[in-house]
Amino acid sequence: MLPKSLKNLIGELRKLPGVGPKSAERLSMHLLRSDRSNIEELAEALVNLKKGIVLCGTCWNVSEADPCKICDDESRERKTVCVVEDVMDALALERTRQYRGLYHVLHGKISPLNNVSPHDLKIQDLHSRVAESAGKNGSAISEIILATNPDMEGEATAMYIAELLKPLKVKITRIARGLPTGGHVEYADDLTLSNAMEGRREF
Amino acid sequence: MLPKSLKNLIGELRKLPGVGPKSAERLSMHLLRSDRSNIEELAEALVNLKKGIVLCGTCWNVSEADPCKICDDESRERKTVCVVEDVMDALALERTRQYRGLYHVLHGKISPLNNVSPHDLKIQDLHSRVAESAGKNGSAISEIILATNPDMEGEATAMYIAELLKPLKVKITRIARGLPTGGHVEYADDLTLSNAMEGRREF
């Protein structure tokens, strides 16, 4: 019953992650009611998306130039590298304005079930990066912060990297696990509570 | 920190209803990782969306032709018209394959808070449609089913239309209210339960 072009858009939107049939319909109807200029702005943003985006050859973050702004920023703490799974993780850490070191984006996590092995990630590149920096006076990397997600695959990835980098004699740390701000001891799961107890610090 | 074109797409996606900052970021990153052809298919679907879509001048549904397929279908029950708020409501009713009559799409509901008055909807058109059909032998509309949503504004819209069409001596009905399939008497709200009791039918 629906016109072809409307059906077509619904079909395309349904391919996106987290967009079910109802959302795709709702979004399509919203767009159909929008001004032509609005729709064209979105279409243009899509077509231009990949233009001018490269991966930084040092930290593998998305960027407009290689090296990226962060790797190129002399005011940053160049001896610390924070390892994250994805670009958006780095963005979240940047938002805190607390971390002033560099990043290394893995572009995923080790996941045998999804056929993602260490070779599919920027892990070997991290090893080379740390090893090569050791030779350079003053800019040798001294700490690797593993900030992969605290789930099973993220933990496995962190452990794999820690093992791999051990011979390089660099300090390797893992972000803290515990209760999130606003959380409740009463409702926290066992693992989180155990981690919070284990990771306790002097007051 | 994010490249301009990525930021731009995130911004465009955030304008869509129900897409928050996190979803917009997630969708954009997904698209950035997709093949160029996938992205272009979506962009093309957007650009072509309005091409070839018109509103049927009889029922005001979206269509590729005027009159639309349903209004033009001689096998349908032409004496019954189901009044719905939106195109997707008509689509949902079509999916049931139960209803064989015609539709009338209002394109909204009366909502003083959102500045939507009866004149912004296809209500006057409905009045003319019913009035004009009365003259035609054999195809006079005999029943108007009000299938606006069972919320406050949908009810008000239904009441307004019922009042407006009263002088035309056409049978006016309202879709049933009661417990949805799979619902629980225990958890139903008072209004739904009252409606379910009131609308009870002989078994």
Side-chain angles (χ1 to χ4, degrees), chain A residues 90-103:
Chain A
L91 186 67
L93 284 163
E94 277 300 282
R95 276 204 203 102
T96 65
R97 291 166 192 265
Q98 286 287 315
Y99 180 66
R100 294 296 302 158
L102 305 179
Y103 291 97

Side-chain angles (χ1 to χ4, degrees), chain A residues 3 18 22 33 40 42 44 53 66 69 77 97 101 105 118 126 155:
Chain A
K22 284 280 164 197
R33 278 189 291 259
E40 274 163 8
L42 175 54
E44 215 172 280
I53 291 193
D66 179 14
K69 273 184 193 161
E77 223 281 76
R97 291 166 192 265
V105 182
L126 176 64
E155 287 297 347

Side-chain angles (χ1 to χ4, degrees), chain B:
Chain B
M1 172 190 139
L2 289 179
K4 225 184 193 169
S5 65
L6 189 57
K7 255 190 211 156
N8 188 18
L9 181 60
I10 294 173
E12 287 296 328
L13 289 173
R14 280 195 58 180
K15 290 184 194 164
L16 298 175
V19 178
K22 286 278 164 198
S23 315
E25 282 176 13
R26 200 167 37 85
L27 288 172
S28 301
M29 282 309 295
H30 169 85
L31 286 162
L32 186 57
R33 278 190 291 260
S34 312
D35 290 341
R36 185 173 290 275
S37 65
N38 273 332
I39 302 175
E40 274 163 7
E41 270 164 35
L42 175 54
E44 215 172 282
L46 282 163
V47 171
N48 292 332
L49 175 60
K50 294 208 179 191
K51 278 183 198 154
I53 293 192
V54 293
L55 291 183
C56 171
T58 307
C59 70
W60 303 101
N61 203 340
V62 292
S63 167
E64 280 162 351
D66 179 13
C68 71
K69 273 183 192 161
I70 294 177
C71 287
D72 206 33
D73 184 348
E74 287 298 329
S75 75
R76 300 201 60 130
E77 224 282 75
R78 312 186 67 80
K79 295 180 172 183
T80 314
V81 172
C82 178
V83 178
V84 292
E85 288 176 20
D86 279 309
V87 172
M88 289 303 162
D89 299 332
L91 186 67
L93 284 163
E94 276 301 281
R95 276 204 203 103
T96 65
R97 292 166 191 266
Q98 286 286 316
Y99 180 67
R100 295 296 301 158
L102 305 179
Y103 291 98
H104 192 92
V105 182
L106 298 174
H107 289 276
K109 49 189 171 183
I110 300 170
S111 170
L113 286 175
N114 297 311
N115 258 326
V116 182
S117 81
H119 302 287
D120 301 315
L121 308 173
K122 302 295 182 190
I123 290 182
Q124 198 49 52
D125 304 83
L126 176 63
H127 186 274
S128 319
R129 185 177 171 188
V130 177
E132 278 165 25
S133 86
K136 291 175 198 160
N137 257 342
S139 68
I141 294 167
S142 61
E143 179 175 359
I144 296 286
I145 305 172
L146 298 172
T148 53
N149 288 327
D151 53 21
M152 217 167 64
E153 291 166 337
E155 287 297 346
T157 307
M159 265 159 61
Y160 180 91
I161 294 174
E163 210 51 47
L164 184 77
L165 299 185
K166 213 183 234 171
L168 298 177
K169 307 278 182 222
V170 65
K171 183 174 165 189
I172 299 169
T173 56
R174 179 88 174 100
I175 48 166
R177 298 180 65 164
L179 287 171
T181 307
H184 296 273
V185 172
E186 184 182 353
Y187 301 125
D189 63 284
D190 294 356
L191 209 55
T192 300
L193 265 189
S194 309
N195 282 318
M197 289 298 279
E198 237 176 78
R200 70 189 179 277
R201 301 198 302 183
E202 229 169 305
F203 199 61

Side-chain angles (χ1 to χ4, degrees), chain A residues 133-150:
Chain A
S133 86
K136 292 176 199 161
N137 257 341
S139 68
I141 293 166
S142 62
E143 181 176 357
I144 295 287
I145 304 171
L146 298 171
T148 54
N149 289 327

Side-chain angles (χ1 to χ4, degrees), chain A residues 5 20 33 54 58 64 69 73 88 104 122 128 138 141 156 160 163 166 171 175-176 179:
Chain A
S5 65
R33 278 189 291 259
V54 294
T58 308
E64 279 162 351
K69 273 184 193 161
D73 184 348
M88 288 304 161
H104 192 93
K122 302 294 183 190
S128 320
I141 293 166
Y160 179 92
E163 211 50 49
K166 214 184 236 171
K171 183 174 165 191
I175 48 167
L179 287 171

